[in-house]
């Protein structure tokens, strides 16, 4: 069962609204190229809509009531937004969830080295990437350097027109006979994925004489010291991420698509956020939640990943503040909730048709994608959404006139993947994998359809309002 291409059904007003949503989306992509940048952007946008920080609000002893809008920022990397409804939270919430971390290349803790005339940052990649895709393209450096004095320096180099950029070099084709015969997974090794950062040695002077061999590295450290006031040891407490440089762009002569870094999973994060924030002026019956988390690409582990209890803790605080301090009520709040756990879906690519099973593939420009299950090799590791819940979602989406499709991630036994849905399912809540189809997932630049971005916002809004 395939629905029509969204473009053919859109009116002029739809297209105008779609373009507005997509401009807003592209702007967010440009401002949020790391999970930290996305988290602070989400907080900034939420505060503009009247959201207040939950723990500060509790500390000030302010009462929490229907219509209140609260957020929790977990270690500057994950965000949970709550819009309190009229009904007790223990009767359940409506939750939109997605992740804000994206595949990238991280700078190691002892990163700076020089070798035969070049200075480099040593790196360790983050998430699943085809390493060869990350060579010979302009790269930017984003992140923080936390210093012992308690201050944190923000770094963003490579985005402004006048900024320098960086690159990971590749071997010229003329000499690559041996390399080209290798398996794609071995063409570029993890340890060779180092970032070229300099070629100019520090001018010779007396103080350098004893370490003349390290003049390139010395020059890099001098620049860092002058620009950011940091020294080499400060890299020990730094989180520097290497991402493709440049902005999100319209794609195609018809401008129907978007080409940008990090659309997995910011395409679902920002569309969920837009849907949530656009309801800020309404007082709803059910408490609404938008949960934007870190670390999905490496298994949702750590204090800022979905496996962390920070979300459950926030719900416990809210239940205690609005009902009473009861673990049982917290469990009820979670198990009575329903959630759209959104992540990108593998969009059908006609040039790689053999990886897909066409009747159960997600197509670009055909609307919000639902995956009853994900996983691999016999659905292993998957959250398998309940049929009754899916029927309810179909009713909600059909009533609101939302275009959607049901899909799997590729052919059976070809591969697979996981999301955060199974973690939320532990609470016994109804949760389904949903999201937006993209091409080139996990490549430096991923492709999405503008129509799907718009339809996602409409679909999430329908879910929150139903
Ligand atoms: Mn994802
Ligand atoms: Mn991913």
């Amino acid at each position: 069962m395939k629905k029509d291409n969204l473009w053919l059904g859109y009116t002029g007003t739809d297209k105008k609204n779609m373009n507005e949503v997509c401009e807003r989306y592209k702007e967010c992509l440009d401002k949020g190229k790391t999970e930290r940048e996305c988290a602070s952007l989400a907080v900034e946008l939420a505060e503009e809509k009247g959201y207040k920080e939950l723990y500060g609000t509790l500390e000030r002893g302010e009462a929490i009531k229907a219509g209140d809008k609260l957020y929790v920022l977990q270690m500057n990397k994950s965000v949970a937004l709550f819009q309190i409804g009229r009904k007790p939270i223990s009767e359940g919430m409506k939750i939109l969830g997605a992740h804000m971390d994206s595949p990238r290349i991280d700078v190691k803790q002892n990163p700076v080295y020089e070798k035969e005339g070049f200075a480099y940052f040593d790196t360790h990649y983050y998430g699943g990437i085809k390493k060869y895709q990350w060579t010979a393209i302009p790269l930017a450096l984003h992140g923080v350097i936390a210093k012992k004095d308690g201050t944190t320096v923000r770094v963003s180099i490579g985005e402004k027109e006048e900024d320098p950029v960086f690159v990971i070099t590749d071997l010229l084709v003329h000499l690559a006979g041996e390399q080209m015969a290798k398996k794609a997974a071995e063409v570029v090794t993890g340890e060779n994925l180092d970032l070229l950062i300099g070629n100019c040695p520090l001018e010779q002077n007396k103080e350098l004489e004893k370490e003349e061999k390290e003049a390139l590295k010395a020059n890099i450290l001098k620049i860092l010291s002058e620009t950011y006031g940091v020294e080499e040891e400060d890299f020990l407490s730094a989180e520097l991420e290497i991402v493709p440089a440049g902005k999100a762009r319209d794609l195609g002569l018809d401008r129907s698509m978007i080409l940008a870094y990090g659309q997995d999973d910011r395409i679902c994060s920002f569309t969920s956020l837009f849907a949530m924030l656009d309801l800020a002026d309404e007082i709803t019956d059910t408490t609404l939640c938008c949960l934007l988390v870190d670390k999905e690409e490496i298994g949702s582990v750590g204090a800022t990943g979905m496996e962390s209890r920070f979300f459950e803790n926030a719900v416990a605080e809210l239940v205690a503040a609005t009902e009473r301090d009861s673990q049982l009520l917290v469990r009820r709040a979670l198990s009575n909730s329903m959630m759209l756990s959104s992540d990108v879906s593998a969009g059908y690519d006609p040039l790689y048709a053999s990886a897909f099973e066409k009747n159960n593939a997600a197509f670009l420009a055909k609307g919000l994608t639902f995956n009853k299950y994900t996983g691999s090799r016999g659905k292993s590791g998957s959250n398998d959404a309940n049929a009754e819940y899916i029927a309810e979602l179909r009713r909600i989406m059909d009533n609101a006139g939302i275009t959607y499709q049901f899909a799997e991630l590729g052919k059976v036994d070809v591969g697979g993947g996981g999301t955060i849905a199974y973690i939320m399912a532990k609470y016994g809540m109804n949760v389904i994998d949903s999201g937006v189809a993209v091409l080139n997932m996990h490549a430096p630049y991923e492709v999405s359809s503008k129509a799907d971005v718009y339809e996602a916002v409409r679909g999430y809004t329908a879910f929150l309002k139903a």
Side-chain angles (χ1 to χ4, degrees):
M1 191 182 65
K2 280 281 162 274
K3 306 231 172 165
D4 285 332
N5 188 298
L6 281 171
W7 293 98
L8 304 176
Y10 281 164
T11 62
T13 316
D14 285 325
K15 286 182 186 158
K16 188 175 158 282
N17 293 340
M18 180 195 70
N19 281 324
E20 275 173 24
V21 166
C22 289
E23 288 308 308
R24 192 178 173 196
Y25 169 53
K26 285 189 293 176
E27 206 177 297
C28 287
L29 285 175
D30 294 342
K31 285 185 183 162
K33 292 187 111 176
T34 68
E35 63 285 3
R36 277 176 188 266
E37 290 172 355
C38 288
S40 52
L41 178 60
V43 165
E44 185 189 314
L45 295 173
E47 284 181 341
E48 279 171 18
K49 289 282 185 176
Y51 276 78
K52 292 182 294 182
E53 201 277 322
L54 170 66
Y55 291 98
T57 304
L58 292 172
E59 245 168 60
R60 291 191 298 273
E62 292 171 25
I64 293 172
K65 53 183 192 311
D68 280 358
K69 296 175 286 285
L70 299 146
Y71 73 85
V72 170
L73 175 62
Q74 173 73 355
M75 295 182 183
N76 300 320
K77 292 177 188 168
S78 287
V79 185
L81 306 181
F82 298 92
Q83 183 170 327
I84 309 300
R86 290 191 193 91
K87 291 194 291 184
I89 296 172
S90 57
E91 289 185 23
M93 299 170 286
K94 291 219 189 92
I95 307 169
L96 294 175
H99 70 90
M100 299 190 292
D101 61 315
S102 297
R104 60 175 190 255
I105 298 170
D106 285 343
V107 174
K108 283 188 186 181
Q109 270 19 80
N110 296 301
V112 196
Y113 74 94
E114 68 167 84
K115 203 174 187 181
E116 285 115 37
F118 294 102
Y120 296 93
F121 273 152
D122 214 331
T123 71
H124 196 144
Y125 63 97
Y126 173 98
I129 59 168
K130 289 178 167 177
K131 298 182 197 86
Y132 65 81
Q133 291 180 332
W134 293 71
T135 63
I137 56 168
L139 296 166
L141 191 66
H142 289 243
V144 295
I145 304 172
K147 297 203 284 182
K148 280 201 291 186
D149 65 5
T151 59
T152 299
V153 182
R154 278 177 180 241
V155 177
S156 172
I157 310 167
E159 301 297 350
K160 290 190 220 112
E161 198 96 328
E162 66 271 22
D163 277 358
V165 291
F166 308 94
V167 77
I168 294 165
T169 55
D170 197 358
L171 185 61
L172 64 166
V173 69
H174 314 69
L175 301 180
E178 201 179 305
Q179 184 197 35
M180 297 289 272
K182 285 183 185 171
K183 278 199 267 178
E186 294 158 10
V187 164
V188 179
T189 63
E191 276 301 349
N192 238 11
L193 217 50
D194 288 350
L195 194 70
L196 182 58
I197 56 170
N199 180 229
C200 173
L202 188 68
E203 270 183 50
Q204 299 301 311
N205 59 29
K206 273 182 196 155
E207 60 181 300
L208 196 75
E209 266 166 22
K210 45 191 166 185
E211 285 199 55
E212 212 168 313
K213 277 184 283 179
E214 299 270 88
L216 273 153
K217 180 175 166 177
N219 197 31
I220 292 295
L221 293 173
K222 181 169 173 267
I223 293 166
L224 289 170
S225 166
E226 285 168 1
T227 319
Y228 298 105
V230 297
E231 50 190 66
E232 189 173 9
E233 286 218 331
D234 291 327
F235 281 108
L236 295 174
S237 48
E239 289 174 352
L240 295 171
E241 305 181 8
I242 298 158
V243 299
K247 294 185 170 189
R249 308 282 291 266
D250 284 351
L251 173 64
L253 281 173
D254 57 6
R255 296 181 172 261
S256 58
M257 297 166 281
I258 294 169
L259 183 73
Y261 164 67
Q263 298 201 71
D264 177 4
D265 183 30
R266 292 161 193 156
I267 196 167
C268 299
S269 296
F270 288 127
T271 50
S272 293
L273 182 68
F274 296 165
M276 182 80 177
L277 295 181
D278 289 351
L279 289 178
D281 299 328
E282 297 185 23
I283 299 185
T284 52
D285 285 334
T286 307
T287 292
L288 310 180
C289 175
C290 180
L291 184 53
L292 306 174
V293 293
D294 178 31
K295 296 285 184 284
E296 192 276 343
E297 295 296 356
I298 56 167
S300 297
V301 291
T304 55
M306 197 60 254
E307 294 275 12
S308 155
R309 290 271 166 88
F310 84 93
F311 171 67
E312 189 182 326
N313 293 346
V315 173
E317 297 281 1
L318 285 171
V319 167
T322 56
E323 296 175 60
R324 63 192 152 85
D325 184 358
S326 156
Q327 266 308 307
L328 183 60
L329 288 182
V330 174
R331 290 183 188 214
R332 283 183 191 159
L334 291 163
S335 69
N336 288 333
S337 290
M338 54 195 261
M339 177 171 184
L340 295 183
S341 168
S342 290
D343 206 339
V344 287
S345 206
Y348 180 85
D349 187 338
L351 299 185
Y352 296 94
S354 66
F356 299 88
E357 186 266 291
K358 229 174 152 183
N359 287 331
N360 289 281
F363 286 77
L364 264 67
K366 292 203 171 178
L368 196 54
T369 301
F370 289 100
N371 304 98
K372 185 177 186 300
Y373 45 83
T374 56
S376 52
R377 300 173 310 282
K379 303 187 180 180
S380 180
S382 159
N383 165 64
D384 197 338
N386 227 30
E388 290 84 345
Y389 178 47
I390 295 177
E392 192 181 349
L393 291 173
R394 286 175 56 211
R395 181 180 55 75
I396 291 170
M397 295 299 153
D398 286 342
N399 285 348
I402 308 299
T403 302
Y404 57 91
Q405 48 187 332
F406 273 79
E408 294 195 14
L409 190 95
K411 263 184 187 167
V412 176
D413 284 343
V414 165
T419 64
I420 60 168
Y422 75 96
I423 304 163
M424 302 303 279
K426 286 181 190 172
Y427 295 118
M429 71 173 69
N430 267 316
V431 48
I432 187 168
D433 280 294
S434 55
V436 181
V438 300
L439 302 185
N440 287 1
M441 194 194 294
H442 282 210
Y445 299 94
E446 298 166 317
V447 177
S448 65
S449 159
K450 287 185 178 177
D452 291 332
V453 172
Y454 178 52
E455 207 65 9
V457 176
R458 294 184 66 234
Y460 296 148
T461 306
F463 172 78
L464 293 178
K465 285 178 97 161

